[in-house]
Amino acid sequence: MGKILIVSDVHGDRSILVDILNHWRNQVDAIFYNGDSELAADDSVFDGVSTVIGNRDSDVNFVEARSTTVDGVTFFQTHGHLYNAGDFIGWANLTDMDQAANEAQAQVVLFGHTHQAGTQVYDHKLFINPGSTTLPMGEYASFGGSYAVLSIEPQQLIVDFYNRQHQELPVLKAVVNRNQLK
Ligand SMILES: [Mn+2]
């Protein structure tokens, strides 16, 4: 069973990223950071971390998107602005990311950009936005910032969300049967 840490949109708040990584590094098999760090791509905080570029990142050494397979699950990771994720009424516009995820043959899409924590199953894929650690928006902004941990189980994918104090946010928890996914 694999565990994946997912963080996004720290917007220069390097210390919370260090804190989250220190808390989880030895408990997870992979770490995804979904953009808008406003840090350098070669910052040591990103050692062993899969990163992508956000609309507020100036370092062109960040890549636009990645597809990565962990424990038999293929992930499509991108910030979201290059796929119009922010053109939405509600949580996020998923259609353009969905098309790219089809090309990557991904089962899970990881993004950020909207700063709105949540999950959705759409077109047989699980979309996960961990929210922003630092500038949360939308329905769950009152939690003060969030990140997510995905557990890969044989029959299910389980997404748990946490606040900046590493306390679980049960209202955001999602359990998805893998037979719903491609
Ligand atoms: Mn952002």
Side-chain angles (χ1 to χ4, degrees):
M1 187 186 98
K3 256 191 198 314
I4 312 294
L5 174 65
I6 309 154
V7 187
S8 195
D9 291 272
V10 303
H11 284 280
D13 186 359
R14 189 178 186 277
S15 60
I16 189 65
L17 187 53
V18 170
D19 185 55
I20 293 167
L21 293 173
N22 285 343
H23 188 85
W24 286 96
R25 198 181 291 277
N26 296 329
Q27 302 177 61
V28 296
D29 302 291
I31 302 170
F32 291 89
Y33 181 81
N34 296 348
D36 270 5
S37 63
E38 304 181 30
L39 303 172
D42 65 356
D43 190 305
S44 61
V45 76
F46 292 130
D47 290 351
V49 176
S50 176
T51 60
V52 290
I53 195 164
N55 55 301
R56 297 288 297 274
D57 291 315
S58 54
D59 189 336
V60 296
N61 292 309
F62 285 112
V63 301
E64 293 185 351
R66 292 179 192 272
S67 63
T68 310
T69 301
V70 180
D71 202 20
V73 176
T74 299
F75 295 84
F76 178 75
Q77 179 194 19
T78 200
H79 183 60
H81 63 300
L82 298 170
Y83 297 89
N84 304 307
D87 298 347
F88 65 105
I89 299 168
W91 184 54
N93 170 38
L94 305 180
T95 52
D96 295 359
M97 291 190 289
D98 183 55
Q99 196 170 358
N102 279 335
E103 287 163 22
Q105 298 188 295
Q107 292 89 49
V108 178
V109 179
L110 306 175
F111 71 105
H113 188 49
T114 68
H115 295 206
Q116 295 196 42
T119 58
Q120 190 175 323
V121 175
Y122 175 83
D123 191 26
H124 307 286
K125 295 170 206 72
L126 172 60
F127 287 74
I128 303 172
N129 187 332
S132 169
T133 55
T134 306
L135 298 166
M137 295 177 73
E139 191 176 356
Y140 302 108
S142 63
F143 290 135
S146 62
Y147 63 90
V149 175
L150 170 70
S151 300
I152 301 170
E153 299 196 341
Q155 308 297 330
Q156 294 175 321
L157 299 181
I158 300 168
V159 191
D160 292 301
F161 288 79
Y162 297 86
N163 67 13
R164 291 168 60 96
Q165 290 74 41
H166 316 298
Q167 296 163 319
E168 202 176 334
L169 303 171
V171 69
L172 278 158
K173 185 185 183 89
V175 179
V176 175
N177 288 321
R178 292 180 66 172
N179 62 14
Q180 292 180 257
L181 308 176
K182 269 183 182 152

